[in-house]
Amino acid sequence: MKKIFVPSLMALALASVSGLVQAQTAAPESSLSFNVGAVSDYRYRGISQSRLKPALQGGVDYADKSGFYVGAWGSTIKWIKDTPGVTAGSTEVDLYGGYKGAVGDVAYDVGFLRYQYSGNNYANYGVNANTNEVYGAATFGVVTAKYSHAISNLFGNIDSKNSYYLDLSAAFDLGNGFSLTPHVGYQKIKNVTDDAGSYTDYSLTLTKDLGNGLSATAAVVGTDADRTFYTLKDKFNGKSGLVVGLKYAF
C-alpha cells in the first residue's frame, strides 16, 4: 500500500502543479460580449444626458486575444433636442477601439472613441455635436488614472478642439458580490467665456453582482458645474443626485 500510495500522491501533486502552471501561462481567448440595461438617469462625466430622466442602453464588445478590442455602445438622450433651436438628435452611439496590455505591474489601455449623435442638427450653432477623442489609461492595483483628449470640437462647443478630461477612480471588492468605485474627474472645455464649461465631477458607485450576467448599481453623483451653462429646459443637469441602474451582460 505504501509503495503504491506515495507515488500516487506525488503523481497527483505533480499533475496539479502542471495544471496550475498551464492555467497561469495559457494564452487569453478572444471574446464577443453583449450588454443591455436601463438607468434612472444617464450621467456622463457627472452631467445628465437625459434631462435627469431614465435612459435605455446597450452595447457590444469584441476583445481579441492579442489585446486589441473594438466595440459599440448606445443610449437614449435628451440634451441635444433640449438645446434651443435644435430639433434632432435623441440617441448617442459610441464607437471605440484600442489596445490593452501591461508593463510589469501596470496595466494600460489606449484607444480612440467616437461619439455619434445620429441625425443631430446642432450645426445650427455652427458646429456638429459629434465628437472624436483619443484616450490613455493606466491601472496599478485598484487605482486607475485616465486622460481623454478631444481631437475635434467637444459636444457641440464651438472652437473647443483640444479640450480634455482627466479622471481618477478605484475599484474595491467588498465581497459577497459587492464592489465600490469612488471617482473624481475634471472636464476642461477650451475657449468658453469665463471658463464656464469646465468643472469637477465626483461619484461613488456601489455595484452588486446578482449572478447569471445581471448586475445592479447605485451611485451618488455630483459636480461643481456652472448652473447657467449646464441648464436646459429649466433643468440643471449637473445637480447632485442618486442614480440606480440594472444591466444584463451575455
Side-chain angles (χ1 to χ4, degrees), residues 93-232:
V93 176
D94 299 343
L95 305 172
Y96 50 87
Y99 180 81
K100 293 182 178 181
V103 177
D105 293 330
V106 178
Y108 63 86
D109 178 6
V110 293
F112 168 83
L113 172 58
R114 164 79 170 184
Y115 305 85
Q116 181 74 34
Y117 302 100
S118 182
N120 84 87
N121 62 339
Y122 221 81
N124 292 344
Y125 283 77
V127 62
N128 198 290
N130 297 336
T131 298
N132 297 319
E133 284 186 339
V134 291
Y135 58 84
T139 300
F140 180 77
V142 299
V143 178
T144 298
K146 184 176 181 180
Y147 177 79
S148 302
H149 189 93
I151 56 175
S152 69
N153 286 313
L154 185 75
F155 307 138
N157 291 286
I158 296 175
D159 196 25
S160 59
K161 183 179 179 181
N162 293 320
S163 296
Y164 62 86
Y165 183 72
L166 179 63
D167 68 286
L168 187 68
S169 62
F172 297 101
D173 185 351
L174 304 181
N176 297 318
F178 286 97
S179 60
L180 189 66
T181 305
H183 158 92
V184 63
Y186 175 70
Q187 176 71 73
K188 172 67 176 181
I189 301 182
K190 298 279 190 176
N191 300 316
V192 174
T193 302
D194 297 326
D195 208 27
S198 301
Y199 63 92
T200 299
D201 73 284
Y202 56 86
S203 65
L204 184 64
T205 303
L206 180 66
T207 302
K208 169 62 175 175
D209 184 351
L210 301 173
N212 299 315
L214 193 63
S215 62
T217 57
V220 176
V221 185
T223 74
D224 66 354
D226 183 271
R227 181 173 290 272
T228 300
F229 192 88
Y230 287 101
T231 292
L232 294 170

Side-chain angles (χ1 to χ4, degrees), residues 39-43 46 48 50 52-54 180 202-207 216-223 237-245:
V39 289
S40 60
D41 179 11
Y42 168 27
R43 293 286 185 120
S48 177
S50 55
L52 309 175
K53 300 293 185 180
L180 189 66
Y202 56 86
S203 65
L204 184 64
T205 303
L206 180 66
T207 302
T217 57
V220 176
V221 185
T223 74
N237 292 307
K239 67 182 295 185
S240 299
L242 175 67
V243 177
V244 297

